């Protein structure tokens, strides 16, 4: 079974530029998550999708971050304009709800963003 | 507010020695607890989870964790560490459906031969 795919793996940009990350979840997984992991910290949930609808985006800085999940499969996360403090690893995860077991989240390898 | 504290940023153990990684949580309802491992350049992998029932949970790769409600702890253990266990370990807490996880800052495990 193929895992969660993310691209690019690495990205370096200057502040005020824009950037986009792509995620392809595990086939059949209805729930998709984007996390931000700053160096030395644990992952922080930015946004959660159920199919192509947003379930939770309470921690997404909406003035600069946006995300979409067209057709309930792939997703993109965009930052415009980027700030220095956006330097982090952006993780995508997907899950399938199992009755009695809840969601088990499967994570992609992440995109490491450096903002100069 | 819910939170997770992993007191140890780094831990170094000798190969073959036992391991215990500490995790303390704060959660307003019944906690559902998770341990994930992250190898360099890789995503997080679920080691084990506690939802209810037996407070000693077995996971993959020979790991186990014990839930202690009175101490608000969910420590991860392994009786004999292998060099391949070197990685970063994250404890997380969340609701029973597995969504909206709150992660600790992680503990980096180094294994010396």
């Amino acid at each position: 079974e193929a895992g969660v795919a993310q691209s690019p793996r690495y990205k370096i940009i200057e502040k005020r530029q824009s950037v986009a990350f792509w995620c392809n979840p595990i086939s059949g997984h209805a729930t998709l998550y984007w996390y931000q992991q700053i160096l030395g910290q644990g992952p922080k949930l930015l946004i959660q999708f159920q199919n192509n609808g947003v379930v939770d985006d309470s921690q997404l800085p909406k003035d600069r971050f946006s995300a979409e999940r067209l057709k309930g499969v792939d997703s993109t996360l965009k930052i415009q304009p980027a700030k220095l403090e956006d330097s982090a690893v952006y993780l995508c995860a997907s899950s399938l709800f199992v009755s009695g077991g809840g969601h088990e989240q499967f994570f992609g390898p992440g995109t490491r963003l450096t903002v100069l | 507010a819910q939170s997770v504290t992993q007191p140890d940023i780094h831990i170094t153990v000798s190969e073959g020695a036992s391991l215990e990684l500490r995790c303390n949580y704060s959660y307003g309802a019944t906690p559902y607890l998770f341990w994930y491992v992250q190898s360099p350049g890789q995503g997080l992998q679920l080691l084990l989870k506690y939802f209810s029932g037996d407070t000693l949970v077995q996971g993959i790769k020979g790991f186990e964790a014990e839930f202690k409600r009175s101490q608000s702890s969910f420590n991860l253990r392994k009786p004999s560490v292998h060099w391949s266990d070197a990685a970063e370990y994250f404890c997380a807490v969340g609701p029973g459906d597995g969504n909206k996880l709150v992660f600790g800052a992680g503990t980096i495990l180094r294994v010396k031969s």
Side-chain angles (χ1 to χ4, degrees):
Chain A
E1 177 182 88
V4 176
Q6 290 187 247
S7 67
R9 293 294 310 276
Y10 305 91
K11 190 72 177 179
I12 300 174
I13 62 172
E14 296 189 349
K15 60 184 179 183
R16 291 187 289 275
Q17 286 187 323
S18 63
V19 64
F21 313 128
W22 173 82
C23 173
N24 179 237
I26 293 172
S27 177
H29 282 195
T31 309
L32 185 146
Y33 315 77
W34 283 102
Y35 289 86
Q36 180 191 58
Q37 186 178 15
I38 293 172
L39 186 65
Q41 299 180 20
K44 182 184 82 171
L45 180 66
L46 292 176
I47 188 167
Q48 176 186 340
F49 292 93
Q50 181 72 21
N51 296 309
N52 60 353
V54 175
V55 174
D56 183 355
D57 63 357
S58 57
Q59 298 194 94
L60 186 73
K62 299 180 186 63
D63 58 333
R64 298 183 300 105
F65 286 65
S66 64
E68 61 182 8
R69 190 182 184 197
L70 299 176
K71 301 181 182 179
V73 183
D74 294 3
S75 177
T76 56
L77 176 69
K78 298 179 181 177
I79 307 175
Q80 182 179 14
K83 293 185 175 181
L84 296 177
E85 58 260 37
D86 298 332
S87 294
V89 175
Y90 290 85
L91 295 166
C92 179
S94 69
S95 71
L96 184 67
F97 184 82
V98 176
S99 178
H103 290 262
E104 178 178 339
Q105 297 186 31
F106 293 83
F107 287 79
T111 296
R112 182 177 297 278
L113 173 66
T114 302
V115 182
L116 303 175
Chain B
Q2 55 212 48
S3 65
V4 176
T5 301
Q6 294 181 244
D8 304 303
I9 298 174
H10 297 98
I11 281 187
T12 300
V13 299
S14 298
E15 191 169 15
S18 63
L19 170 70
E20 182 169 33
L21 302 182
R22 296 184 290 164
C23 171
N24 293 98
Y25 66 88
S26 173
Y27 196 71
T30 301
Y32 294 88
L33 297 152
F34 307 79
W35 274 100
Y36 285 83
V37 60
Q38 185 177 34
S39 298
Q42 304 295 316
L44 281 75
Q45 180 184 21
L46 180 66
L47 286 175
L48 48 80
K49 59 187 177 184
Y50 171 77
F51 278 7
S52 64
D54 193 347
T55 56
L56 186 62
V57 181
Q58 301 298 320
I60 63 171
K61 304 185 180 186
F63 286 93
E64 66 179 26
E66 185 171 12
F67 171 59
K68 293 186 177 179
R69 185 184 296 275
S70 61
Q71 299 177 21
S72 298
S73 70
F74 189 57
N75 294 347
L76 182 71
R77 301 195 295 247
K78 187 170 185 178
S80 177
V81 169
H82 188 263
W83 64 266
S84 60
D85 293 324
E88 189 161 17
Y89 292 80
F90 293 92
C91 181
V93 66
D97 62 3
N99 284 318
K100 300 185 180 180
L101 298 182
V102 174
F103 286 84
T107 297
I108 296 172
L109 172 65
R110 298 188 179 116
V111 180
K112 60 182 181 181
S113 56

